[in-house]
Amino acid sequence: MALRRTLGLAARPYSQRAAKDWLTEDFLDALRAVVGSANVSTATVVREQHGRDESMHRCCPPDAVVWPQNVEQASLLATACYSRGVPIIPFGTGTGLEGGVTAVQGGVCFNLTRMDQISALNTEDFTVAVEPGVTRKTLNSFLRDSGLWFPVDPGADASLCGMAATGASGTNAVRYGTMRHNVLNLQVVLPDGRVLHTAGQNRRPRKSAAGYQLTGLFVGSEGTLGLITQATLRLHGIPEATAAATCAFPSVQAAVDSTVQVLQAGIPIARIEFLDEVMMVACNRYSGLSYPEQPTLFLEFHGSEQSVEEQVQATGEIAQLNGGSEFLWAREQEARNQLWNARHNAWYAALALRPGKKGYSTDVCVPISRLPAVLVETKQDLLAFRLTGPIVGHVGDGNFHCLLIFDPEDPDENGRVKEFTLRLARRALAMDGTCTGEHGVGLGKRQFLREEVGEVALSTMRQIKATLDPKNLMNPGKVL
């Protein structure tokens, strides 16, 4: 019971009632026959580990966990679950932020991390195929001597197939695009066990006008339509020259205005990240740095030596026109790593502002032209609601996160957090934006999906779901 209280679980007894219908030794033996006894577990601690991600949503463990080793096993396991009406929950590295892995109806969790092959690397075509156990850092380490890299960087060392499932983005998206722009083909195990190749088996053209865009359908589907067991990815050449810098500004408005003007000027900047003054205080304390504690842009430039110098000069002129400081440079690899590690550790730096408290990360995205207004209004709301909420953002995409640090045991503060997040999401929608730029809908943002896309679009999504998953077994309770 002490463990359950620590995890913040509700009283629901882990789907035990639903499990009685199908969680039999015969069913478990069928799973073991596919993957072996060592790759099937019903242990409580294992189930609890797989019943939560890094979000604030309560732990909802599955009734069993399986570890397929290849697509054939994943297909056979899915067939076994489908024939008995057992929910299927995909699991990668568990770094999601909207409760996407919680087993709200019980079922079998498919931990796909032991499918970890990298195959079909073609350096001339800039493509590679990866299984779900391959993470972003693992792939880039594998590619190190090829002159290529995969630039989509959400911060966490997430599973690449999981990143496809959530439509992940990150710090490089302003230059290189999101997962939607960098996935060419997917191998998907459908709920009934059939194996789908969304662009045709082994195909990897850079574009196609053949039929419906099935790859795009599954990117961002959050495990509700099938198990992504392989992704064919678009790679990019490692730039000849790279330079990174920070630039402090007198106000949020000045920093964001500079971002908009850099993009309007057509400068092909690789990263342009915003951190407000509260976040800069947190990063300095957590990472042992001494940056000015003002609204700040973290910048990175890629290209030839000459083009990088031209980008730096043009960006510097724009920053100075908006009251920006001189650039603090990080030209060497070690210095750049220190700068971007500070940015990627922003979540932990924010948590350290109030030790022992919990964090919730919001995630909205608006058209670039609306970004200054929405950020300024959000800062005003933080003050009005008396909340600790440092802001970081991929502002080159109009996407930002407010990292709310609060006491979940304080009902008043909980209420203020809820009201703040409702206002933020609806403010983004009112400004022609989205309630989620990259975290996905999961459990936490289903209420906003109808407001965002409308009844006709939501009904269409449900029809697609019902066609591919008529028994509603794939990650039920998420998105729709």
Side-chain angles (χ1 to χ4, degrees):
M1 292 302 294
L3 177 60
R4 289 176 61 129
R5 284 195 297 272
T6 300
L7 293 170
L9 300 179
R12 190 177 75 90
Y14 295 166
S15 305
Q16 288 175 1
R17 181 179 300 173
K20 289 180 181 177
D21 295 335
W22 56 264
L23 189 61
T24 64
E25 276 303 312
D26 285 345
F27 175 65
L28 293 174
D29 284 343
L31 301 181
R32 295 181 187 114
V34 176
V35 294
S37 297
N39 293 308
V40 178
S41 178
T42 57
T44 299
V45 66
V46 174
R47 292 165 49 228
E48 287 174 344
Q49 178 188 359
H50 288 80
R52 62 181 181 271
D53 54 17
E54 294 188 7
S55 71
M56 280 299 297
H57 297 287
R58 67 181 178 88
C59 180
C60 293
D63 297 292
V65 181
V66 295
W67 286 265
Q69 318 290 303
N70 51 54
V71 64
E72 291 78 17
Q73 290 184 356
S75 173
L76 290 171
L77 290 168
T79 301
C81 291
Y82 190 80
S83 66
R84 293 167 175 82
V86 180
I88 297 168
I89 303 94
F91 189 95
T93 54
T95 54
L97 292 167
E98 291 296 344
V101 301
T102 55
V104 293
Q105 296 182 19
V108 174
C109 174
F110 283 50
N111 184 318
L112 301 170
T113 55
R114 294 179 187 173
M115 296 177 62
D116 59 359
Q117 296 300 302
I118 300 174
S119 61
L121 172 62
N122 191 306
T123 56
E124 294 180 344
D125 293 331
F126 295 77
T127 61
V128 70
V130 297
E131 290 184 338
V134 181
T135 66
R136 173 181 61 85
K137 289 182 180 179
T138 300
L139 176 60
N140 280 326
S141 178
F142 175 85
L143 294 171
R144 185 175 296 136
D145 297 329
S146 70
L148 303 175
W149 71 310
F150 186 73
V152 181
D153 176 7
D157 189 23
S159 157
L160 288 159
C161 288
M163 288 166 59
T166 57
S169 179
T171 58
N172 288 305
V174 65
R175 172 78 174 262
Y176 298 99
T178 71
M179 288 300 289
R180 290 192 183 278
H181 305 98
N182 288 283
V183 176
L184 300 174
N185 198 353
L186 293 171
Q187 179 189 77
V188 181
V189 174
L190 297 174
D192 60 6
R194 291 177 298 156
V195 178
L196 166 70
H197 298 270
T198 58
Q201 190 165 3
N202 298 324
R203 302 199 182 280
R204 47 190 172 83
R206 295 183 73 85
K207 63 180 181 180
S208 171
Y212 297 139
Q213 231 291 2
L214 295 180
T215 303
L217 175 64
F218 282 87
V219 173
S221 61
E222 300 185 43
T224 61
L225 302 179
L227 297 154
I228 297 177
T229 51
Q230 186 184 71
T232 301
L233 305 176
R234 181 196 305 265
L235 302 176
H236 298 260
I238 295 174
E240 173 190 334
T242 300
T246 65
C247 182
F249 290 84
S251 67
V252 171
Q253 183 81 44
V256 181
D257 284 347
S258 294
T259 301
V260 173
Q261 292 163 22
V262 165
L263 297 175
Q264 289 173 335
I267 299 169
I269 197 161
R271 304 189 196 191
I272 184 163
E273 296 285 298
F274 170 77
L275 292 81
D276 75 352
E277 69 280 2
V278 182
M279 192 73 257
M280 292 304 298
V281 169
C283 285
N284 279 343
R285 290 180 187 175
Y286 186 81
S287 298
L289 303 173
S290 56
Y291 290 125
E293 292 176 349
Q294 300 172 250
T296 299
L297 293 179
F298 282 27
L299 308 155
E300 189 163 281
F301 308 91
H302 294 174
S304 66
E305 295 284 355
Q306 181 179 344
S307 70
V308 164
E309 289 304 318
E310 291 171 351
Q311 293 174 51
V312 167
Q313 181 178 348
T315 303
E317 290 172 357
I318 290 171
Q320 288 185 1
L321 288 173
N322 288 284
S325 67
E326 293 293 323
F327 284 178
L328 297 178
W329 287 103
R331 293 185 181 273
E332 301 303 318
Q333 183 69 50
E334 184 177 352
R336 292 202 307 273
N337 288 344
Q338 183 184 48
L339 185 155
W340 291 113
N341 283 339
R343 167 61 185 90
H344 288 323
N345 287 331
W347 172 252
Y348 305 104
L351 287 172
L353 290 173
R354 296 182 67 185
K357 307 305 180 187
K358 298 294 184 180
Y360 174 69
S361 176
T362 67
D363 166 43
V364 297
C365 186
V366 296
I368 299 294
S369 63
R370 313 301 290 271
L371 188 60
V374 75
L375 268 174
V376 169
E377 290 179 28
T378 299
K379 293 284 287 182
Q380 292 170 349
D381 263 9
L382 285 168
L383 291 173
F385 283 94
R386 307 187 317 280
L387 294 173
T388 301
I391 293 176
V392 297
H394 318 306
V395 287
D397 297 324
N399 183 200
F400 70 93
H401 312 291
C402 188
L403 310 182
L404 298 166
I405 313 302
F406 67 103
D407 182 357
E409 304 300 323
D410 182 340
D412 178 67
E413 190 172 22
N414 270 302
R416 284 182 277 125
V417 166
K418 182 177 180 180
E419 181 63 22
F420 172 85
T421 56
L422 286 171
R423 284 173 58 85
L424 177 57
R426 292 199 166 112
R427 180 180 298 119
L429 295 180
M431 293 191 178
D432 304 323
T434 175
C435 65
T436 174
E438 58 186 4
H439 293 171
V441 174
L443 285 173
K445 294 193 172 176
R446 290 176 299 170
Q447 62 179 315
F448 299 119
L449 185 60
R450 182 190 302 273
E451 297 177 38
E452 180 168 328
V453 302
E455 189 56 47
V456 174
L458 194 62
S459 176
T460 303
M461 292 181 194
R462 286 178 174 146
Q463 289 174 325
I464 293 169
K465 167 76 168 171
T467 299
L468 293 174
D469 183 17
K471 296 184 180 182
N472 191 28
L473 299 179
M474 284 303 312
N475 210 9
K478 316 298 168 48
V479 183
L480 302 176

